[in-house]
Amino acid sequence: GQQVMQIPQYQHVQEGEDFTTYCNSSTTLSNIQWYKQRPGGHPVFLIQLVKSGEVKKQKRLTFQFGEAKKNSSLHITATQTTDVGTYFCAGHVNSGGSNYKLTFGKGTLLTVNP
Amino acid sequence: DSGVTQTPKHLITATGQRVTLRCSPRSGDLSVYWYQQSLDQGLQFLIQYYNGEERAKGNILERFSAQQFPDLHSELNLSSLELGDSALYFCASSSRPGQLAFFGQGTRLTVV
């Protein structure tokens, strides 16, 4: 079945360093979404990418969708302690007609040392 | 606040029992997703409904079932519970399949 792989599983950085997490799908995605989950919290939607090669920015966060719509990345510039959490990518795969399955990667847990 | 409401927030029950988790989607959302999150498995997709009909099925056990009612709320029924079913169960909703999903705060199920 369709799988969404995400690396790395864990990343520990010093405050001020950059961070990147990568997402790769075994099949072409209709779109990709990124979520952040703080410890003890629920996934919170960050952004959705739809177009091939799309790049979106939210302040220090940059999201990219690959040309083949099979991979994506999230880059955080100059991390802060408030960036701590698990970042998930999630891909929508059309499973026939108007049926879609939203599959999550296993997430990257980011910890930031002040 | 995402607008998705899940009840109860916490549930402790014994092995062999049956529980029902409830989800009210955001106003106007027709699609509901259920996920199971355990420490070692990440977010596992269980099942999706759209306007009352099942639309996609993931790794949902036969002991588990779900439905979406005419008022669009959804229930996830877990029966013959085992220790390994202890997890966070999230519900998410979207306007329609393929659109961005908003998550509820989850139900933490502990099976003892």
Side-chain angles (χ1 to χ4, degrees):
Chain A
Q2 185 251 344
Q3 287 190 349
V4 176
M5 309 300 291
Q6 195 174 348
I7 57 168
Q9 196 173 352
Y10 307 98
Q11 184 79 61
H12 178 74
V13 299
Q14 287 292 127
E15 191 172 22
E17 290 181 340
D18 292 355
F19 158 76
T20 306
T21 172
Y22 300 91
C23 190
N24 195 56
S25 169
S26 55
T27 57
T28 302
L29 301 170
S30 301
N31 57 50
I32 195 155
Q33 299 169 8
W34 285 92
Y35 293 79
K36 177 183 177 181
Q37 185 177 20
R38 286 205 162 95
H42 62 280
V44 174
F45 172 79
L46 293 176
I47 208 159
Q48 175 170 276
L49 304 171
V50 179
K51 298 177 187 173
S52 168
E54 189 170 10
V55 177
K56 284 189 177 179
K57 291 193 175 187
Q58 284 180 353
K59 295 183 181 176
R60 293 178 295 105
L61 278 59
T62 302
F63 303 84
Q64 293 189 345
F65 200 10
E67 294 290 340
K69 298 183 78 171
K70 284 188 171 184
N71 57 70
S72 181
S73 65
L74 157 59
H75 180 81
I76 302 179
T77 305
T79 54
Q80 299 174 359
T81 54
T82 51
D83 295 327
V84 163
T86 300
Y87 292 85
F88 292 96
C89 62
H92 263 119
V93 175
N94 188 305
S95 54
S98 59
N99 297 332
Y100 289 84
K101 196 166 144 182
L102 183 59
T103 302
F104 279 75
K106 288 206 170 183
T108 297
L109 172 60
L110 172 65
T111 53
V112 179
N113 203 29
Chain B
D1 182 13
S2 66
V4 179
T5 305
Q6 285 188 252
T7 56
K9 285 192 170 54
H10 303 276
L11 198 48
I12 301 175
T13 190
T15 53
Q17 295 298 304
R18 172 191 168 94
V19 296
T20 297
L21 312 185
R22 184 188 166 100
C23 170
S24 294
R26 287 189 324 154
S27 176
D29 283 355
L30 300 180
S31 196
V32 169
Y33 308 77
W34 283 98
Y35 289 87
Q36 180 192 57
Q37 187 177 40
S38 51
L39 281 172
D40 56 344
Q41 291 295 323
L43 277 161
Q44 294 290 310
F45 171 71
L46 295 178
I47 200 163
Q48 181 203 352
Y49 284 85
Y50 175 67
N51 207 18
E53 291 185 7
E54 183 184 306
R55 278 300 178 93
K57 216 165 186 175
N59 303 321
I60 187 166
L61 300 172
E62 285 190 9
R63 301 183 284 109
F64 296 0
S65 64
Q67 54 184 323
Q68 185 179 30
F69 294 87
D71 67 353
L72 302 176
H73 91 270
S74 179
E75 292 181 356
L76 178 66
N77 301 297
L78 315 175
S79 61
S80 302
L81 284 168
E82 301 175 359
L83 295 177
D85 297 328
S86 296
L88 261 173
Y89 290 84
F90 285 106
C91 165
S93 75
S94 65
S95 55
R96 60 182 189 277
Q99 298 306 302
L100 62 94
F102 292 88
F103 278 74
Q105 300 209 349
T107 293
R108 181 172 293 281
L109 172 67
T110 304
V111 182
V112 297

